[in-house]
Amino acid sequence: MIKDKDEIKFGDKQKQLIRYPFDVTLDVSEGTPRSGKTTGGIMRMARYYAATRDENHLIVGYNQEQAYRLFIDGDGFGLQHIFGDLCVPKRDQHGDHLELYTSNGIRKLYYKGGGKSDSHKAITGMSLGSVVFLEINLLHMDMIQECFRRTFAAKDRYHLADLNPPAPNHPVIKEVFEVQKTRWTHWTIHDNPILTEERKKEIHDTLKKSPYLYARDWEGKRVMPQGVIYSMFSNTDHVINQVEGKPIEMFFVADGGQDDATSCSCNIVTQHVIDNKITYRLNRFANYYHSGKDTGQVKAMSDYAVEIKAFIEWCRNKTGMFFSDIFVDPACKSLREELHKIGLDTSRADNNASDKGVGAGSRIEVGIQRAQSLINDDQFRLVEQDEYGHYSFIQEIGQYVRDANGKPIDDWNDAMDEFRYSVNYFTKNYKL
């Protein structure tokens, strides 16, 4: 059960969402991060699940972990805490789900990932009463459309979606929002009753460094991603189901932090013959990522080292390849030391410190330009994974922007830094 339930305070926008009648096909909560829209959605769906006549329901996030973390657990305010002893985690032929015991009978809440191109295959043949789309703009369109088809026969058909403001030309707007009978609710950070004025000011002062982020994440507006450093990256064109080409080398790159995120990527270089010429691609195969700031769980570097070792073993077993090296940011000496203690040799990552330029910012630009060139030259791919996927990388690459003076903002760059290090190694060994 939710602890201290007498102290739960809902904002006016959350109360509005919770109390809406279920008289539309799709409710869309669109607005800024930290606006309280997900918490409001959880409470609304708890009300729906207690009353619906349909047995099976779906909660879909970018991956299954996100679906569970955001809606089932919900930082202690999710469905499993609302229903308490009236629910139990289970698994059947359709997958993992939360089984609810209601006055109308058993209700099964399945939670799955929807970011991969073949995600829709996991729900083919299922009959659903409702679907919750978490960060719907990050989900694959085939999965979104299949979800609507799976609810055609529902007795109490309903869908709920939330998202941060996408670009005005994002396909989810025209292909989903404008097609369904949709009720749209706009959210800003001021709709979250738990944020103090001091915390709001901290967020405001960070976002105001970028006009793009200020408009999107403070005002909740749909804006074109001007100033996004890797705007040439496409979730469609640069993402593949499995490694293509001839594998040449596998290496790992890591950057560590405690307040900031610790990120370690598995990178596979592949060889291709295009127009009778040999070329190479950098494939970001998998990603270990943990943010103490985002999760509220700060880990010791020794814990990160153990988890990174498990990640490396997973990649070796998954690929059947040996790795050539583990490159770690030279500034993260503690992580290197902890990895050495558990038997993993490391090398210093190329963080552009030795590149020519006036000031650290100019040196970093060398690596950024290499990465931009790699994407533009069709030499970079993300390889989809169920475990150790790329959710955090995709989140960061959409938020890695420049400030008003043209300098990269440091607030969303943990995976972006080690991505740059991997590009530096690839460029000097396979591209120059």
Side-chain angles (χ1 to χ4, degrees):
M1 299 293 287
I2 296 177
K3 296 181 180 180
D4 302 325
K5 58 181 180 298
D6 293 335
E7 298 180 11
I8 296 175
K9 180 182 178 181
F10 294 113
D12 292 339
K13 191 67 65 68
Q14 291 173 323
K15 293 177 183 177
Q16 181 185 59
L17 177 64
I18 295 168
R19 294 169 177 169
Y20 275 146
F22 297 97
D23 56 352
V24 295
T25 306
L26 173 66
D27 264 307
V28 174
S29 289
E30 180 181 335
T32 67
R34 310 176 188 89
S35 57
K37 56 186 180 291
T38 302
T39 300
I42 291 171
M43 298 299 172
R44 175 166 178 77
M45 292 309 297
R47 177 184 160 214
Y48 169 85
Y49 295 136
T52 180
R53 293 170 291 171
D54 297 289
E55 180 178 354
N56 297 329
H57 306 268
L58 177 65
I59 300 157
V60 55
Y62 178 79
N63 55 37
Q64 187 181 49
E65 178 186 1
Q66 287 300 111
Y68 177 85
R69 184 177 68 82
L70 291 174
F71 226 74
I72 302 297
D73 178 59
D75 291 328
F77 293 92
L79 295 169
Q80 67 180 4
H81 303 286
I82 293 173
F83 287 97
D85 295 337
L86 296 177
C87 67
V88 61
K90 285 196 173 182
R91 179 177 177 81
D92 60 17
Q93 72 273 20
H94 295 303
D96 296 323
H97 62 276
L98 190 68
E99 188 169 279
L100 305 184
Y101 305 107
T102 76
S103 58
N104 294 325
I106 292 175
R107 300 292 175 258
K108 297 180 179 180
L109 315 183
Y110 295 91
Y111 48 97
K112 297 181 181 292
K116 295 174 62 177
S117 59
D118 62 349
S119 297
H120 63 283
K121 296 178 181 178
I123 64 170
T124 301
M126 294 183 69
S127 182
L128 302 169
S130 70
V131 180
V132 173
F133 302 99
L134 300 170
E135 297 179 292
I136 190 172
N137 54 313
L138 298 182
L139 306 182
H140 198 280
M141 187 58 68
D142 289 349
M143 180 61 160
I144 296 171
Q145 300 297 3
E146 183 65 19
C147 285
F148 281 104
R149 287 191 287 269
R150 293 297 101 203
T151 60
F152 278 159
K155 298 175 182 176
D156 300 302
R157 189 174 187 240
Y158 181 68
H159 309 80
L160 173 70
D162 69 30
L163 73 162
N164 300 333
N169 60 352
H170 195 288
V172 76
I173 299 170
K174 187 167 292 292
E175 297 181 28
V176 180
F177 299 168
E178 295 180 4
V179 171
Q180 304 297 329
K181 182 182 178 183
T182 301
R183 175 168 49 214
W184 183 82
T185 304
H186 182 253
W187 299 69
T188 73
I189 203 166
H190 302 294
D191 294 315
N192 190 338
I194 69 170
L195 291 180
T196 63
E197 292 304 316
E198 291 77 13
R199 179 64 175 139
K200 289 180 185 178
K201 184 179 186 304
E202 177 187 344
I203 295 170
H204 176 272
D205 291 345
T206 296
L207 295 174
K208 73 178 182 180
K209 300 173 186 176
S210 165
Y212 165 68
L213 289 181
Y214 187 84
R216 191 191 72 170
D217 292 349
W218 184 260
E219 299 178 316
K221 296 178 179 178
R222 294 173 183 171
V223 288
M224 291 301 293
Q226 297 174 347
V228 176
I229 292 173
Y230 297 121
S231 59
M232 66 289 297
F233 174 79
S234 166
N235 286 359
T236 302
D237 297 338
H238 301 118
V239 179
I240 55 178
N241 288 320
Q242 57 187 7
V243 175
E244 299 170 350
K246 179 183 178 182
I248 300 295
E249 180 184 6
M250 181 169 75
F251 64 94
F252 294 85
V253 182
D255 188 14
Q258 289 183 307
D259 290 333
D260 294 327
T262 292
S263 182
C264 180
S265 63
C266 173
N267 301 274
I268 297 176
V269 179
T270 53
Q271 186 183 82
H272 305 259
V273 179
I274 300 175
D275 296 331
N276 295 320
K277 294 181 180 179
I278 294 177
T279 187
Y280 297 91
R281 279 184 183 155
L282 177 64
N283 300 269
R284 190 177 176 93
F285 181 76
N287 189 191
Y288 166 87
Y289 188 100
H290 179 269
S291 171
K293 179 172 60 177
D294 290 345
T295 64
Q297 179 187 11
V298 177
K299 298 183 180 182
M301 279 298 161
S302 56
D303 293 328
Y304 282 128
V306 170
E307 293 179 9
I308 287 174
K309 184 176 183 179
F311 167 65
I312 291 172
E313 287 302 312
W314 181 90
C315 293
R316 286 188 60 187
N317 292 333
K318 187 83 170 179
T319 63
M321 297 179 66
F322 292 101
F323 63 90
S324 59
D325 214 330
I326 304 170
F327 299 101
V328 182
D329 184 353
C332 193
K333 296 179 180 179
S334 57
L335 179 58
R336 290 192 71 187
E337 291 172 358
E338 294 297 341
L339 288 170
H340 294 165
K341 287 179 182 179
I342 59 176
L344 291 176
D345 292 331
T346 68
S347 298
R348 292 165 58 93
D350 180 357
N351 63 356
N352 299 110
S354 61
D355 287 308
K356 294 181 180 180
V358 181
S362 296
R363 294 195 294 269
I364 290 172
E365 289 295 337
V366 175
I368 288 175
Q369 289 169 11
R370 287 172 179 163
Q372 291 172 330
S373 175
L374 201 70
I375 298 171
N376 277 326
D377 293 344
D378 199 32
Q379 289 185 279
F380 177 71
R381 292 289 187 274
L382 285 186
V383 184
E384 294 179 332
Q385 301 294 342
D386 290 323
E387 191 174 355
Y388 295 118
H390 306 287
Y391 171 80
S392 297
F393 177 89
I394 291 175
Q395 289 282 83
E396 282 199 16
I397 205 168
Q399 298 179 97
Y400 192 39
V401 299
R402 301 184 186 278
D403 62 19
N405 297 316
K407 294 182 179 179
I409 297 176
D410 290 336
D411 295 274
W412 298 276
N413 67 344
D414 301 299
M416 294 298 95
D417 278 348
E418 56 94 343
F419 168 57
R420 176 164 49 88
Y421 307 157
S422 68
V423 169
N424 286 333
Y425 175 82
F426 175 85
T427 299
K428 291 183 177 182
N429 287 276
Y430 295 96
K431 194 172 172 69
L432 294 180

